[in-house]
Structure formats: structure tokens, C-alpha cells
């Protein structure tokens, strides 16, 4: 995959609740490293990490990422027991979603009409069935 990913400054990181400020740089660098491997330009990326003020059981920290990948919108959400765990899970899931988006993009946009002989394509120029008369 080759593309132009954003610089770490292009990733907007929002922190909500009692979370240390050092997580802002950590989340931005991790997300930027994954987005640098994207096959298309990243127009926008926001990572939001939130923790409720009164701690809850289980996985109280939620991390979400919204990415605009040249018009394809990706939304990823993960939870964790600590803010770093939530960000790590988010980055792993974001990498998988980017991989799947690249496969989907190639399936939809990567195929081109090559005009192979005796291949019927509706609406494309061709031999038989496209209005041309056959010479016999």
C-alpha cells in the first residue's frame, strides 16, 4: 500500500474525562503510523478517548476514530480498562479496517475494461450483440 498518510499533527486527538495529557501524543503518533500505510490520502482523522468521571466496571475507557479516506468514511470504536489499552485496541482495529477498505476499493475501482475478444460487456464496445453486423 502506498499513499500519503497524515503527519502526526493532522490527527486530531480529543480527551474527555480524567485522562492524562500524555495520552494525546501517544494516540496521535499511533494513529498516524497506521494511517501512513493507507492506500489513499487521509483527508481527516479524529481520535476521541473518553473515560466517565465515576469509574465503572469492566472496560470504562472508550476510544473512537473517525477517518475520511478520500470520501470513504471509517468509524472504529473500542473499549479498554485503561486509556492506553483502549488506544492500542483502536489502532489494531483501525489497521484492519484500512486493509479491508483497500480490498473493497480495489474490487470496485481497480478493474478496467480490457476489451478481450468474445467478451460481452453491456454498454461497452464489442463484437457480437453490440450493433455491429457480422461479415460472413
Amino acid at each position: 500500500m502506498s499513499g500519503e498518510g497524515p503527519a502526526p499533527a493532522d490527527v486530531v486527538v480529543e480527551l474527555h474525562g480524567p485522562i492524562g495529557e500524555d495520552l494525546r501524543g501517544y494516540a496521535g503518533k499511533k494513529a498516524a503510523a497506521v494511517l501512513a500505510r493507507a492506500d489513499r490520502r487521509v483527508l481527516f482523522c479524529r481520535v476521541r478517548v473518553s473515560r466517565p468521571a465515576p469509574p465503572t466496571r469492566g472496560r470504562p475507557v472508550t476510544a473512537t476514530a473517525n477517518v475520511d479516506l478520500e470520501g470513504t468514511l471509517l468509524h472504529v470504536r473500542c473499549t479498554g480498562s485503561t486509556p492506553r489499552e483502549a488506544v492500542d485496541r483502536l489502532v489494531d482495529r483501525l489497521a484492519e479496517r484500512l486493509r479491508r477498505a483497500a480490498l473493497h476499493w480495489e474490487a470496485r475501482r481497480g478493474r478496467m475494461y480490457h476489451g478481450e475478444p468474445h467478451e460481452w460487456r453491456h454498454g461497452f464496445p464489442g463484437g457480437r450483440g453490440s450493433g455491429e453486423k457480422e461479415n460472413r
Side-chain angles (χ1 to χ4, degrees):
M1 292 181 194
S2 64
E4 299 175 15
D10 294 336
V11 177
V12 178
V13 180
E14 299 176 359
L15 304 177
H16 299 279
I19 299 173
E21 272 304 308
D22 62 332
L23 189 74
R24 187 179 308 271
Y26 178 78
K29 287 178 186 175
K30 295 279 275 190
V34 169
L35 294 173
R37 297 185 307 233
D39 66 328
R40 290 173 274 163
R41 284 187 313 132
V42 177
L43 301 178
F44 176 77
C45 177
R46 178 178 55 218
V47 175
R48 181 178 294 158
V49 183
S50 61
R51 170 187 264 173
T56 58
R57 290 184 176 177
R59 295 185 177 149
V61 181
T62 303
T64 60
N66 296 315
V67 179
D68 183 354
L69 196 63
E70 281 191 352
T72 301
L73 303 177
L74 302 178
H75 179 76
V76 181
R77 181 174 188 238
C78 290
T79 59
S81 55
T82 65
R84 284 191 184 254
E85 179 186 351
V87 168
D88 290 339
R89 287 177 185 231
L90 179 77
V91 167
D92 291 342
R93 188 169 290 176
L94 182 60
E96 177 61 21
R97 289 295 302 273
L98 286 170
R99 186 189 67 78
R100 287 175 43 206
L103 292 176
H104 183 67
W105 176 261
E106 289 173 2
R108 289 178 51 207
R109 304 282 188 251
R111 296 185 185 154
M112 299 298 247
Y113 173 69
H114 297 292
E116 297 171 6
H118 305 296
E119 182 179 1
W120 182 83
R121 297 275 184 159
H122 183 73
F124 285 105
R128 302 176 105 180
S130 65
E132 294 179 13
K133 291 191 176 186
E134 219 176 305
N135 294 329
R136 286 193 176 194

